[in-house]
Amino acid sequence: MLQFFTGSQFTTSMELGLLYGLVALALYISFGLLKIADLSTDGCFTLGCAVGASMTVAGHPFLALPAAMAAGILSGYVTAFLQTRLGVESILAGIIVNTGLYTINFLAMGSSSNLNIFGSDTIFSLAKGVSSAGWYRKLFTLIILLCIVLVICFILHWFLNTTLGLSIRATGDNENMVRASSVNPAFTITVGLCISSALTALSGALLAQYQKSCDINFGTGQVTIALASLMIGETLVRRGSIFKRTIGVILGSCLYRLIVAIAMKFNMPAEFLKLASALIVTAAIVIPYIKDKAAFYRRRMSRGNLAGK
């Protein structure tokens, strides 16, 4: 199977794995830690893409990234506000925000359903001119994305081990305990969702500069893809520090992209990729469950055999 992962195809798979891995990290915070199913991910991804593309066309490729993250933070805040202040269920709040973002994304792209940024400088095109070495010109995009992802992982590792970060993690485990500890769970949920949405929007902005275009439908299915990556990553790294687990999520995203590359090699129609994603998510969830059940029954049989003796 190694023949599928050679040359530019392997590099492209890794680049997309790192890029979409940021959405998987966002889902790790909202779904993995806070236990909140944030369905605004699709719209937030397109929001980051739209804001990033618009800022890039305006001649600010570097400013496009924090601008997209700021837009993502606003999206996350609205989602959290609906949940924590207005009593809207998390799933319904995500659907409401996702629906509203469609119009906002349309306006962010100049009342157009797509926006091309060909001819505009991006962080990737600017970085390409740093060196004329052959190996660098082949791998500069991968290097940039790897650096960004590693920085994000280090920041998350540091933040989630601070007092506020530990409170966010505790909120997902036991909200009542957090409230009893004089910590406002509404605040921790809001911070968590804002960080999650910022990462999602950052991924969208990077994709816009990576593909030099933005489309209103870019975010469709991002929840499923990110969930598949998250589940694969948690299967690979089930225990360990926050840094190790975030790296596991990124590895899961890269592995998912390699699986998609294999599927494309076998000429799988694009329409079947969504079904493949659903099957991957199912397998990633079911396999650890089956392993745990098998281990439980083995222990029970072993105790039964000992009792019989």
Side-chain angles (χ1 to χ4, degrees), residues 190-226:
T190 300
V191 173
L193 289 181
C194 285
I195 295 173
S196 174
S197 297
L199 293 177
T200 301
L202 174 61
S203 179
L206 288 171
L207 179 68
Q209 296 197 18
Y210 180 83
Q211 296 190 345
K212 293 192 174 182
S213 64
C214 176
D215 189 272
I216 196 71
N217 296 313
F218 267 2
T220 303
Q222 286 304 315
V223 169
T224 305
I225 295 173

Side-chain angles (χ1 to χ4, degrees), residues 9 35 39 91 131-132 139 157 213 258 266 284 287 289 300 309:
Q9 290 181 338
K35 307 298 188 296
L39 297 185
I91 293 178
S131 174
S132 59
L139 300 174
H157 174 74
S213 64
L258 292 177
F266 284 110
I287 290 174
Y289 175 79
R300 193 168 72 173
K309 292 179 180 180

Side-chain angles (χ1 to χ4, degrees), residues 98 100 111 122 136 155 167 172 190 201 210 221-222 264 309:
N98 189 53
S111 299
T122 66
Y136 177 79
I155 292 175
S167 298
T190 300
Y210 180 83
Q222 286 304 315
M264 297 299 288
K309 292 179 180 180

Side-chain angles (χ1 to χ4, degrees), residues 80-307:
F81 184 83
L82 290 174
Q83 294 180 47
T84 60
R85 303 300 181 185
L86 300 183
V88 180
E89 291 292 332
S90 60
I91 293 178
L92 184 57
I95 293 174
I96 292 172
V97 173
N98 189 53
T99 303
L101 282 176
Y102 186 90
T103 301
I104 294 175
N105 296 336
F106 183 78
L107 295 175
M109 290 189 289
S111 299
S112 173
S113 60
N114 55 70
L115 180 62
N116 293 323
I117 58 177
F118 287 97
S120 301
D121 287 330
T122 66
I123 62 171
F124 301 108
S125 62
L126 293 174
K128 186 176 182 179
V130 171
S131 174
S132 59
W135 67 269
Y136 177 79
R137 287 186 169 272
K138 291 180 180 179
L139 300 174
F140 72 93
T141 301
L142 182 63
I143 293 172
I144 292 172
L145 291 173
L146 182 60
C147 290
I148 292 174
V149 168
L150 286 177
V151 168
I152 295 296
C153 288
F154 275 115
I155 292 175
L156 285 179
H157 174 74
W158 166 78
F159 174 75
L160 291 175
N161 283 290
T162 62
T163 302
L164 178 57
L166 291 172
S167 298
I168 292 174
R169 294 161 63 182
T171 301
D173 292 332
N174 192 328
E175 185 175 326
N176 293 326
M177 181 191 70
V178 171
R179 187 179 288 108
S181 301
S182 301
V183 176
N184 185 1
F187 176 71
T188 56
I189 290 173
T190 300
V191 173
L193 289 181
C194 285
I195 295 173
S196 174
S197 297
L199 293 177
T200 301
L202 174 61
S203 179
L206 288 171
L207 179 68
Q209 296 197 18
Y210 180 83
Q211 296 190 345
K212 293 192 174 182
S213 64
C214 176
D215 189 272
I216 196 71
N217 296 313
F218 267 2
T220 303
Q222 286 304 315
V223 169
T224 305
I225 295 173
L227 184 59
S229 302
L230 176 62
M231 292 304 170
I232 293 172
E234 291 194 338
T235 301
L236 295 174
V237 183
R238 302 188 67 181
R239 295 179 178 84
S241 65
I242 292 295
F243 182 75
K244 185 181 293 185
R245 295 178 70 179
T246 54
I247 292 297
V249 172
I250 298 300
L251 291 176
S253 179
C254 292
L255 182 56
Y256 172 83
R257 285 295 155 182
L258 292 177
I259 295 172
V260 171
I262 294 176
M264 297 299 288
K265 270 289 186 177
F266 284 110
N267 298 320
M268 176 182 286
E271 295 81 6
F272 284 81
L273 290 178
K274 300 298 182 184
L275 176 60
S277 298
L279 293 176
I280 292 171
V281 172
T282 303
I285 295 174
V286 169
I287 290 174
Y289 175 79
I290 293 175
K291 287 183 177 179
D292 291 341
K293 280 294 183 181
F296 170 76
Y297 284 119
R298 282 197 300 268
R299 290 194 300 268
R300 193 168 72 173
M301 291 178 64
S302 176
R303 287 196 296 267
N305 292 335
L306 291 175

